[in-house]
Amino acid sequence: MNKPTVLYIIRHGKTMFNTIGRTQGWSDTPLTKEGEKVIHSLGIGLKEIPFKEAYSSDSGRAMQTARIILQEHTQGATIPYATDSRIREWCFGSLDGGYDGELWGVVPRILAFKNYEDMMTNRISYKDLAEAIIAADTADWAEPYEKIKERVWNGFEDIAHRREKDGGGNVMIVSHGLTISFLLSLIDSSLPMQIGLENGSVTKLIYENGRFTIDTVNDVHYIEDGQKQSSNN
């Protein structure tokens, strides 16, 4: 009898760009010392979860996060690990690497809102967001909405489907804030944007017969559990 297929989707640890307020997207910076420390705690909190396999996006920050978690896991040396470019962050084109204020300053104006808060209060769609990023991108690099939707959905769904066919079980996946938030919207379109997912937070999905169910979102208790275990040793 198959076990349930459960995806533990983790936002990567805090990076240099996260710390100084720069938009990362397809650009990349390593985890800070504090970011590494939090992910070590997360790894300790997850160390007894029996993962069948582990994945991350092909971005350096996601791979670094996955390796730290596996390093702390009791079976980390034997858990198969692979990268998948489809679960990387959205591409922000010429705004990649710029300050957050540039992206969240120009996008609301393109969508005829006063500012970021006004835009979020009015609950724009991810399609609106993608089209505004393309309009703001002077390099013609940003991805169209349908391309983002196809790659993100296929990436996570393929991982889940393969695991279900192979008997189910738990899968660890390290991805990115906007990508995880967007995936949640594809599962449940009534959800608000979850752009504020914490670094190292766990969003848990259950996959059964071709359908995702959202279990928990932005869960940081594994980090807290790991911190407690470290302080008790």
Side-chain angles (χ1 to χ4, degrees):
M1 185 176 178
N2 283 9
K3 296 179 180 178
T5 299
V6 184
L7 307 188
Y8 287 70
I9 304 176
I10 297 157
R11 186 186 176 204
H12 63 79
K14 195 168 191 178
T15 65
M16 183 182 77
F17 270 12
N18 292 152
T19 304
I20 63 174
R22 284 184 179 266
T23 301
Q24 225 150 193
W26 283 12
S27 57
D28 206 23
T29 57
L31 273 58
T32 61
K33 291 297 182 186
E34 180 59 29
E36 290 182 354
K37 185 178 177 182
V38 169
I39 298 303
H40 277 290
S41 296
L42 173 63
I44 294 168
L46 291 169
K47 69 180 182 179
E48 300 295 340
I49 303 292
F51 291 118
K52 293 288 188 180
E53 55 207 8
Y55 296 87
S56 78
S57 86
D58 59 346
S59 296
R61 59 193 185 275
M63 294 190 288
Q64 185 182 2
T65 299
R67 288 174 182 142
I68 292 171
I69 297 168
L70 292 174
Q71 177 185 325
E72 296 290 355
H73 198 280
T74 55
Q75 302 297 319
T78 61
I79 296 171
Y81 164 64
T83 63
D84 192 322
S85 62
R86 296 174 297 178
I87 62 172
R88 63 166 62 165
E89 186 57 289
W90 285 32
C91 177
F92 300 108
S94 59
L95 296 168
D96 256 26
Y99 283 103
D100 289 344
E102 295 175 42
L103 174 66
W104 300 119
V106 68
V107 163
R109 291 199 299 273
I110 288 170
L111 295 172
F113 294 110
K114 289 183 292 185
N115 50 39
Y116 175 81
E117 290 75 19
D118 185 31
M119 179 181 76
M120 295 304 288
T121 300
N122 283 274
R123 291 189 62 169
I124 65 162
S125 71
Y126 287 90
K127 190 172 190 295
D128 291 336
L129 178 60
E131 289 175 352
I133 290 169
I134 285 175
D137 174 25
T138 58
D140 197 27
W141 293 336
E143 296 175 286
Y145 173 80
E146 291 299 331
K147 187 174 180 181
I148 303 169
K149 181 180 177 181
E150 180 181 19
R151 75 164 170 87
V152 170
W153 180 260
N154 288 346
F156 286 101
E157 212 268 344
D158 281 357
I159 290 169
H161 183 64
R162 284 197 302 268
R163 173 51 26 214
E164 184 179 54
K165 281 180 64 179
D166 204 20
N170 302 315
V171 185
M172 184 192 94
I173 304 175
V174 180
S175 186
H176 305 263
L178 184 55
T179 295
I180 298 168
S181 174
F182 179 49
L183 174 64
L184 293 174
S185 79
L186 297 177
I187 298 167
D188 182 354
S189 60
S190 71
L191 288 175
M193 282 189 178
Q194 306 278 341
I195 289 175
L197 295 174
E198 296 288 336
N199 292 102
S201 64
V202 177
T203 292
K204 196 185 296 185
L205 304 181
I206 299 166
Y207 183 81
E208 190 173 15
N209 299 322
R211 292 179 62 86
F212 283 110
T213 303
I214 299 168
D215 185 40
T216 55
V217 177
N218 200 31
D219 183 0
V220 296
H221 94 266
Y222 295 103
I223 298 170
E224 294 163 354
D225 287 351
Q227 290 168 338
K228 287 175 188 172
Q229 290 181 54
S230 296
S231 64
N232 290 335
N233 291 335

